[in-house]
Amino acid sequence: MNKFGSTPLQARANFPFFTAILIIAVIFGIIVLAGIIYKIYQQYTKSEKYINKQKNRPTNKKDLLKLQKFFNITKEDTEFLFYLSKLIDSNNIYYILKDINSIHDFFRECYNSLIHLDDSDKKINNMFKLSYKLENHIAEYKKILSTKQIPVSAVVFYITKEGEKLPFYCAVNNSDFFSVEIPEFFYSKKDKPRNLEKANFIFKPHNGLSYSFSSRVIRYNTDAENKYYMIIAHTENLNVELQRHYKRETIDCDALFTPIKITKTDDKPIITTSKYYTGKMMNISGGGCCIKTNLPIKEKQNIGIKIPFFEFEKPLFGIIKKTRRLPDGNFAIHIQFLKYSLKEQNKILAFVYKFAL
């Protein structure tokens, strides 16, 4: 036995135990150090310096995979996005396509480049359809959950019992209620919603969605400037209304229409009369339109439409899907387009997206 109270044999026996302790301590230290480094890196990836660096570099394959997963789009859509980004020489599209305004600006630039290419109608059409997919995804991702989020000065549509949409402007929005400014004629109407009666509304923010909701009208007010207001209770029961297959835009222009017959053999539209009736275009999309007229045209009627505003050489052909009476006695006829070229549809879509015609 040595002076330390252990024999050389005992010391050798204790050696593996101390070695194991040392190894565990080193591994633990490495894990802690790795955790610290990872935390520092995570903080760095959230910094403005890192984000700006990523934004300003070209799009790579990893960015495309993240885009495909985020938007839940096909591989073909993702590859087309990459083609568009190369066409306009854009920076990293994974960071660009994160809000409605950025998506709109990106596709406007793409459109301005595509229109100068030969035989680009198909690509432009695919671009509009892809833009609609991305905008709807972003809108759904950032959807509004309460009427408390309606900004002051935003348009809130009151839906009459006849289905007409009356635009009112949000004047006040606080934690207890929101109010909309209403015109004098509506304030004087006997059939306007009574106090504490539920009414139907639609709110269309800039995120691309429409929200329908029902809420109680608390009361009506006037102010010193003889302005009239409807005071409305808040609600969180907002129903998202995605716009069919195409983005829709209001329009105020003349429209001419005539009955047509479509043959069963070759599905070819035949104009049965040279007489065209005059109406007013109320809204339009890449898939259809709504025309205001004084004629009670039946549903499921095939129809030819001339729209002088777009300067099409031939009329568009469609079918009336719905006819409804308006409060002023006229009729709104909702038309689904059946026959049009890609060039014609692209021109309508360019108007809807507010791109140069």
Side-chain angles (χ1 to χ4, degrees):
M1 181 179 293
N2 59 32
K3 62 180 180 179
F4 296 105
S6 64
T7 64
L9 183 61
Q10 289 174 322
R12 285 195 298 274
N14 291 334
F15 178 76
F17 173 76
F18 290 116
T19 302
I21 294 295
L22 180 61
I23 291 172
I24 291 172
V26 170
I27 292 173
F28 179 76
I30 291 172
I31 292 172
V32 171
L33 181 62
I36 293 172
I37 293 172
Y38 179 74
K39 190 173 182 180
I40 293 172
Y41 177 75
Q42 287 292 94
Q43 291 176 341
Y44 172 63
T45 58
K46 296 177 183 178
S47 68
E48 187 176 346
K49 180 180 179 181
Y50 175 85
I51 292 174
N52 286 334
K53 184 178 178 181
Q54 297 302 307
K55 282 181 178 180
N56 296 327
R57 66 169 174 79
T59 308
N60 60 34
K61 192 172 182 179
K62 189 176 179 181
D63 299 320
L64 293 176
L65 291 174
K66 289 193 292 184
L67 266 176
Q68 186 174 339
K69 183 178 179 181
F70 177 76
F71 286 109
N72 192 26
I73 54 178
T74 65
K75 182 181 178 182
E76 290 74 18
D77 284 339
T78 310
E79 290 173 350
F80 185 57
L81 266 179
F82 187 58
Y83 162 78
L84 293 175
S85 70
K86 292 294 185 183
L87 178 68
I88 64 172
D89 194 25
S90 74
N91 292 332
N92 192 345
I93 56 175
Y94 176 72
Y95 284 87
I96 291 175
L97 306 177
K98 284 300 180 74
D99 63 72
I100 295 293
N101 291 331
S102 297
I103 289 173
H104 193 73
D105 292 342
F106 173 80
F107 283 108
R108 179 193 285 113
E109 193 171 349
C110 293
Y111 175 79
N112 290 337
S113 295
L114 285 171
I115 57 177
H116 298 295
L117 302 180
D118 294 331
D119 301 323
S120 61
D121 289 337
K122 181 64 176 175
K123 289 179 181 177
I124 291 174
N125 201 257
N126 288 340
M127 182 208 73
F128 279 123
K129 291 176 180 177
L130 183 55
S131 174
Y132 182 75
K133 286 183 186 178
L134 268 55
E135 287 183 9
N136 272 336
H137 180 86
I138 290 290
E140 178 69 20
Y141 182 69
K142 299 182 177 181
K143 64 183 179 184
I144 290 172
L145 302 175
S146 169
T147 52
K148 293 180 180 180
Q149 295 173 256
I150 297 176
V152 171
S153 77
V155 179
V156 178
F157 292 91
Y158 165 71
I159 311 301
T160 68
K161 294 177 181 178
E162 295 81 12
E164 186 182 12
K165 298 176 183 178
L166 301 180
F168 300 151
Y169 291 88
C170 182
V172 174
N173 195 340
N174 57 39
S175 59
D176 298 320
F177 61 84
F178 71 102
S179 68
V180 293
E181 185 176 347
I182 59 177
E184 183 179 1
F185 84 87
F186 184 81
Y187 180 80
S188 304
K189 281 170 65 78
K190 293 182 180 180
D191 61 345
K192 70 178 184 292
R194 299 185 301 273
N195 290 353
L196 303 183
E197 181 182 354
K198 275 197 169 184
N200 297 320
F201 302 90
I202 288 180
F203 169 55
K204 295 183 179 183
H206 295 298
N207 66 5
L209 291 184
S210 292
Y211 297 85
S212 63
F213 62 93
S214 297
S215 193
R216 295 191 185 280
V217 176
I218 300 174
R219 63 183 182 276
Y220 295 90
N221 273 353
T222 59
D223 63 12
E225 298 178 358
N226 288 326
K227 292 182 178 180
Y228 304 89
Y229 302 93
M230 177 193 289
I231 315 300
I232 308 166
H234 280 305
T235 181
E236 294 181 354
N237 294 321
L238 283 78
N239 298 310
V240 178
E241 297 185 338
L242 288 174
Q243 298 184 50
R244 302 175 186 86
H245 302 292
Y246 296 97
K247 191 172 182 178
R248 187 171 295 270
E249 182 61 48
T250 56
I251 184 173
D252 182 13
C253 68
D254 292 331
L256 305 172
F257 57 91
T258 187
I260 64 169
K261 182 172 68 175
I262 296 180
T263 60
K264 294 181 179 180
T265 52
D266 56 2
D267 200 32
K268 184 179 179 181
I270 298 175
I271 298 177
T272 57
T273 176
S274 60
K275 183 175 182 179
Y276 275 84
Y277 301 91
T278 303
K280 277 288 184 181
M281 188 76 68
M282 298 173 68
N283 62 59
I284 194 167
S285 76
C289 65
C290 180
I291 295 176
K292 181 178 179 179
T293 176
N294 59 0
L295 301 175
I297 308 175
K298 293 181 179 180
E299 296 173 358
K300 298 183 180 179
Q301 165 70 49
N302 292 315
I303 193 169
I305 312 119
K306 287 183 178 180
I307 314 173
F309 175 81
F310 290 106
E311 299 179 345
F312 294 142
E313 294 180 3
K314 299 178 181 179
L316 304 180
F317 300 106
I319 184 170
I320 298 174
K321 303 295 288 187
K322 183 180 180 181
T323 298
R324 60 185 176 89
R325 183 183 287 274
L326 299 172
D328 61 4
N330 287 306
F331 296 87
I333 54 175
H334 299 263
I335 301 163
Q336 177 187 342
F337 294 142
L338 298 177
K339 294 285 182 180
Y340 48 53
S341 66
L342 282 180
K343 184 182 285 293
E344 290 167 336
Q345 188 184 45
N346 289 344
K347 196 165 187 178
I348 293 171
L349 289 169
F351 167 79
V352 170
Y353 282 82
K354 297 180 173 60
F355 294 167
L357 295 179

